[in-house]
Amino acid sequence: MSESHTVQQVSLEAKSPFELRVNLGKSVPESDVRSALATGDMGFLHSFTTGSALDGPGVRVVAWTAGCMWRCLYCHNPDTWTMSNGMPVTVAKAIEELRKYRHGLKIMSGGFTLSGGEPLMQHRFAVKLFTAAKAMGIHTALDSNGFYGSRLTDTELEAIDLVLLDIKTWDPDRHRRLTGMDVGPTLDFARRLAALRRPIWLRYVLVPGLTDDLEDISQTAGFAAGLGTVERVDVLPFHQMGRFKWKQLGIDYTLETVEPPTAELVERACAVFRATGLKTY
Ligand code: SF4
């Protein structure tokens, strides 16, 4: 990659992914972006955060990638939609960052999670990071919407100990309205992971009025239970922590008045998953 561009000086480490970050990679020439995506020698990251207890087993170091092909109406990190909002980071630098935490992660039975945005937008970079983490003996998790799961070979999937798979809704039309894209590739990826006996944690964001239809949840639950490798389901209540980002980015936000789900609604959704034999958290 060219050394001629200048990169805005922002720390790779963030307190949380809710920090708004834009244009950090906008000076990277298009040809360098293409070469980075093809080789995986460089990636575009929103940030690294440490100490998460939600993104896989134990305490996690999370690298948040920039770039997503979906446009979920409830996305709480729309600044990660555009790759050029991310900071260009060489794979060597990202691995060096990860190396700092390897002993602590092992002591705390934690690991490394790649989240986003959608990490598989940069699947070559993701594979290199996961392979390096595994070589350090670190547990690895991929948090993905699964749409680009077919980009990974079966061998590459072996470097990923756990997939946190986001299924947004079962209904194909609702899925298109909610995300702008088809649900099929996500379900295909889930089936493939199951066939390979790879563990999955299912993530389901519960949004009143959008994803709280119990029949729809029941269909998702039935599919997940049938896979046989879903170890747990995280029902994630919608929140408004990302609202300010939509405003600051000037994107039309349609959920302005939507309240987080009540505890009763969360419990009802969990009960639907549990009724199929799945464990919910
Ligand atoms: S898949 Fe995730 S990052 Fe992409 S738009 Fe949806 S919620 Fe946002």
Side-chain angles (χ1 to χ4, degrees):
M1 106 169 243
S2 148
E3 298 296 329
S4 56
H5 64 268
T6 52
V7 172
Q8 203 176 320
Q9 289 307 301
V10 174
S11 169
L12 189 53
E13 197 158 327
K15 288 197 181 64
S16 94
F18 290 105
E19 284 184 18
L20 178 74
R21 295 185 166 199
V22 292
N23 292 335
L24 301 182
K26 78 168 186 222
S27 60
V28 180
E30 185 57 36
S31 56
D32 285 354
V33 174
R34 276 201 300 275
S35 138
L37 290 176
T39 63
D41 289 340
M42 187 183 75
F44 292 82
L45 294 181
H46 174 278
S47 57
F48 260 81
T49 59
T50 55
S52 164
L54 301 172
D55 299 294
V59 175
R60 313 298 295 184
V61 166
V62 184
W64 305 89
T65 58
C68 186
M69 73 300 262
W70 288 8
R71 295 290 177 264
C72 301
L73 298 179
Y74 57 73
C75 183
H76 56 223
N77 287 318
D79 51 337
T80 64
W81 287 353
T82 312
M83 211 170 292
S84 63
N85 277 346
M87 189 182 314
V89 179
T90 63
V91 74
K93 166 83 181 139
I95 292 169
E96 182 191 314
E97 191 75 11
L98 197 51
R99 193 181 303 280
K100 288 193 226 161
Y101 302 105
R102 70 189 190 283
H103 295 306
L105 289 176
K106 278 182 215 162
I107 291 165
M108 292 182 286
S109 305
F112 167 63
T113 301
L114 195 60
S115 185
E118 170 47 50
L120 297 185
M121 292 278 288
Q122 308 180 47
H123 68 291
R124 292 272 136 253
F125 180 71
V127 167
K128 286 191 173 175
L129 271 184
F130 284 132
T131 305
K134 288 300 292 172
M136 285 187 256
I138 297 173
H139 178 276
T140 55
L142 167 70
D143 178 13
S144 172
N145 64 31
F147 194 79
Y148 282 159
S150 61
R151 289 182 166 190
L152 300 177
T153 65
D154 291 356
T155 307
E156 287 167 346
L157 280 172
E158 285 171 14
I160 303 170
D161 293 313
L162 173 69
V163 176
L164 311 174
L165 186 66
D166 302 273
I167 296 185
K168 313 291 186 183
T169 178
W170 181 257
D171 182 85
D173 293 333
R174 186 177 291 148
H175 194 276
R176 232 170 274 118
R177 281 198 305 276
L178 197 59
T179 69
M181 302 292 264
D182 288 334
V183 69
T186 300
L187 304 183
D188 287 345
F189 186 47
R191 291 186 191 100
R192 182 167 157 234
L193 290 171
L196 293 168
R197 307 306 301 162
R198 309 300 300 167
I200 300 170
W201 287 11
L202 179 69
R203 308 188 111 187
Y204 189 84
V205 182
L206 187 64
V207 191
L210 283 182
T211 63
D212 60 349
D213 181 288
L214 295 184
E215 181 49 37
D216 187 89
I217 295 174
S218 172
Q219 302 265 10
T220 307
F223 170 77
L227 293 172
T229 60
V230 175
E231 294 180 344
R232 63 183 265 171
V233 179
D234 289 289
V235 174
L236 307 171
F238 165 75
H239 57 71
Q240 290 283 13
M241 284 169 73
R243 176 167 48 191
F244 81 100
K245 289 190 174 184
W246 288 73
K247 283 195 178 148
Q248 291 195 19
L249 293 168
I251 317 169
D252 188 26
Y253 184 56
T254 54
L255 307 191
E256 190 70 45
T257 57
V258 176
E259 297 284 338
T262 60
E264 291 73 26
L265 181 55
V266 174
E267 176 45 34
R268 279 212 300 281
C270 286
V272 173
F273 281 106
R274 283 199 301 271
T276 63
L278 294 165
K279 292 192 189 118
T280 58
Y281 291 85

